[in-house]
């Protein structure tokens, strides 16, 4: 197998089509630092040159693990991390403000044991901070040489457009990448986000190709789904087969397993290959917790889905359809805050 590389968002930086995600390294997933290092080294040895982590993964432990594992190999790796989520008690320890970005980038550099970050990403939108403030801080970090490029993660298409307009108007550097959730069960970004990213020449690195584990092959229609362990224990409403939406997903899984069998691959391999086949996608983040999981996913790296296979997928899950809301996906206040969707009671009627 020879890993393929694609240019990341017009930066000229070539990254592997598989990106090693480090969310499962540390207390939240695999607490064995040596084992995590072996997984990282195995991925690098198979041609993966792109590693993605975040300051908040296991409260900084993931960055520390990645930093230790990359000693002696740092120059050969495109290293990405993220900032936004809370990293301690008290005010000004989260968000997208200049104050927090400038503080936290230093902490990420320290944990990663490096002098520079190749891709620094804003983990989620922050409507308490003017986007110009965020872009200005990131531009300064590029000019200081502490980061090479910057991007965003799980931003709505409209906010990406706004950010590009602000960058042009204020002569600031712009978001070069977007990191959205994308899978066989979460295809909503095909409607507007992915076309917008192509329009602006942005690189796209997608997360959760296995749909929070639903496409791992572990959850089957006629199987015994244990809601007391793993991801199912954390979010049982996403896996409970008695819920109609979950029953529909299980039906789709059976059809996708049949397709995977016809293609001679596993369901996870099919899921990752699907995301990599979209012309807007640069790299697909795979987040193994164990060496066995990494081995299975890398064995499918050479899988090519022809038009017939993709047509079959479109029949099972139509383009642009979301069968679930990915865990951790950002939702705008316009949807989560009822007060923004409801006029005061006395003003709702058309007549008094």
């Amino acid at each position: 197998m020879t890993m393929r590389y694609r240019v990341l968002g017009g930066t000229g930086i070539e990254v592997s089509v598989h990106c090693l995600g480090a969310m499962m390294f540390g207390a939240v997933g695999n607490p064995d630092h040596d084992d995590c290092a072996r997984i990282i080294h195995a991925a690098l040895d198979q041609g993966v040159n792109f590693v993605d982590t975040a300051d908040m993964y296991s409260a900084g432990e993931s960055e520390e693990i990645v930093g230790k594992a990359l000693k002696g190999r740092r120059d050969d790796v495109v290293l990405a991390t993220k900032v936004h989520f809370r990293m301690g008690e008290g005010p000004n320890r989260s968000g997208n403000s200049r104050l927090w970005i400038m503080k936290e980038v230093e902490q990420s550099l320290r944990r990663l044991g490096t002098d520079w970050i190749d891709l620094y990403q804003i983990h989620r939108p922050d409507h308490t901070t003017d986007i110009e403030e965020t872009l200005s801080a990131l531009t300064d970090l590029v000019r200081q040489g502490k980061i090479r490029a910057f991007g965003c993660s799980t931003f709505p298409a409209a906010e990406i457009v706004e950010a590009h307009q602000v960058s042009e108007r204020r002569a600031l550097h712009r978001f070069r990448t977007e990191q959205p959730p994308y899978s066989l069960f979460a295809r909503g970004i095909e409607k507007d986000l992915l076309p917008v990213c192509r329009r602006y020449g942005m690189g796209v690195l997608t997360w959760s190709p296995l749909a929070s584990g639903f496409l791992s092959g572990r959850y089957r229609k006629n199987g015994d789904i244990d809601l007391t362990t793993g991801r199912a224990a954390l979010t049982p409403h996403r896996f409970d087969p008695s819920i109609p939406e979950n029953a529909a997903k299980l039906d789709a899984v059976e059809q996708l397993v049949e397709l995977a069998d016809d293609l001679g691959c596993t369901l996870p391999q099919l899921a990752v290959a699907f995301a990599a086949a979209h012309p807007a996608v640069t790299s697909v983040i795979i987040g193994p917790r164990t060496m066995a999981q990494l081995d299975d996913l890398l064995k499918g790296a050479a899988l090519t889905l022809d038009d017939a296979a993709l047509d079959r997928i479109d029949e099972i899950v139509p383009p642009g359809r979301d069968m679930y809301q990915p865990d951790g996906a950002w939702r705008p206040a316009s949807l989560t805050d009822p007060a923004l969707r409801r006029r005061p009671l006395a003003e709702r009627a058309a007549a008094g």
Side-chain angles (χ1 to χ4, degrees), residues 130-136 159-174:
D130 192 314
I131 189 63
E132 182 179 347
E133 182 82 359
T134 302
L135 294 170
S136 175
E159 296 195 27
I160 290 176
V161 172
E162 178 190 6
H164 279 280
Q165 291 175 338
V166 170
S167 294
E168 183 176 358
R169 189 166 63 245
R170 300 299 188 187
L172 299 170
H173 289 215
R174 62 189 180 90

Side-chain angles (χ1 to χ4, degrees), residues 102-120:
M102 291 302 189
K103 283 184 178 179
E104 185 60 5
V105 72
E106 298 295 343
Q107 295 304 313
S108 285
L109 288 167
R110 176 186 59 79
R111 288 188 292 261
L112 290 165
T114 186
D115 295 326
W116 79 98
I117 294 164
D118 297 295
L119 178 64
Y120 199 46

Side-chain angles (χ1 to χ4, degrees), residues 20-136:
L20 182 66
M23 188 176 74
M24 288 290 102
F25 298 158
V28 170
N30 186 343
D32 186 330
H33 288 207
D34 291 337
D35 190 43
C36 292
R38 285 190 288 270
I39 293 171
I40 293 171
H41 294 159
L44 299 182
D45 291 342
Q46 298 248 13
V48 173
N49 77 335
F50 197 11
V51 178
D52 176 79
T53 183
D55 58 353
M56 58 85 66
Y57 293 164
S58 293
E61 188 181 4
S62 173
E63 285 186 330
E64 293 174 353
I65 291 170
V66 169
K68 289 188 295 185
L70 293 185
K71 287 187 183 300
R73 306 185 72 165
R74 175 67 184 91
D75 289 343
D76 298 322
V77 173
V78 179
L79 181 58
T81 191
K82 299 181 281 292
V83 62
H84 168 81
F85 286 105
R86 179 160 294 282
M87 290 294 290
E89 297 299 324
N92 301 315
R93 295 186 62 81
S94 64
N96 303 343
S97 69
R98 169 179 284 271
L99 186 153
W100 178 239
I101 290 171
M102 291 302 189
K103 283 184 178 179
E104 185 60 5
V105 72
E106 298 295 343
Q107 295 304 313
S108 285
L109 288 167
R110 176 186 59 79
R111 288 188 292 261
L112 290 165
T114 186
D115 295 326
W116 79 98
I117 294 164
D118 297 295
L119 178 64
Y120 199 46
Q121 300 158 99
I122 301 300
H123 213 154
R124 293 293 187 274
D126 172 12
H127 291 153
T128 68
T129 304
D130 192 314
I131 189 63
E132 182 179 347
E133 182 82 359
T134 302
L135 294 170
S136 175

Side-chain angles (χ1 to χ4, degrees), residues 16 240 251:
S16 49
D240 186 346
D251 286 337

